[in-house]
Amino acid sequence: MKALSDLLSTDYGLMSLVVIAFVIFMSVWFGRFFKRHMDEDAAAAAKAEQSGRPVP
């Protein structure tokens, strides 16, 4: 209980929560960013394959 109290009431506890939230946000953002670009590259490769161009 002391740890939870420290986490929510001290400056270093609140900063820890900010850092944890930021890291979670970054992981979600990077995951969506990479997924979007992988899907775009897959679509471009499929389109190039259908048109008969070599895929780089």
Side-chain angles (χ1 to χ4, degrees), residues 5-18:
S5 174
D6 284 348
L7 184 65
L8 298 174
S9 63
T10 61
D11 55 347
Y12 54 86
L14 293 174
M15 192 59 183
S16 296
L17 284 177
V18 168

Side-chain angles (χ1 to χ4, degrees), residues 29-46:
W29 188 85
F30 276 120
R32 293 184 64 189
F33 178 82
F34 294 145
K35 175 79 167 108
R36 180 172 14 118
H37 284 281
M38 287 187 295
D39 290 343
E40 288 173 2
D41 287 345

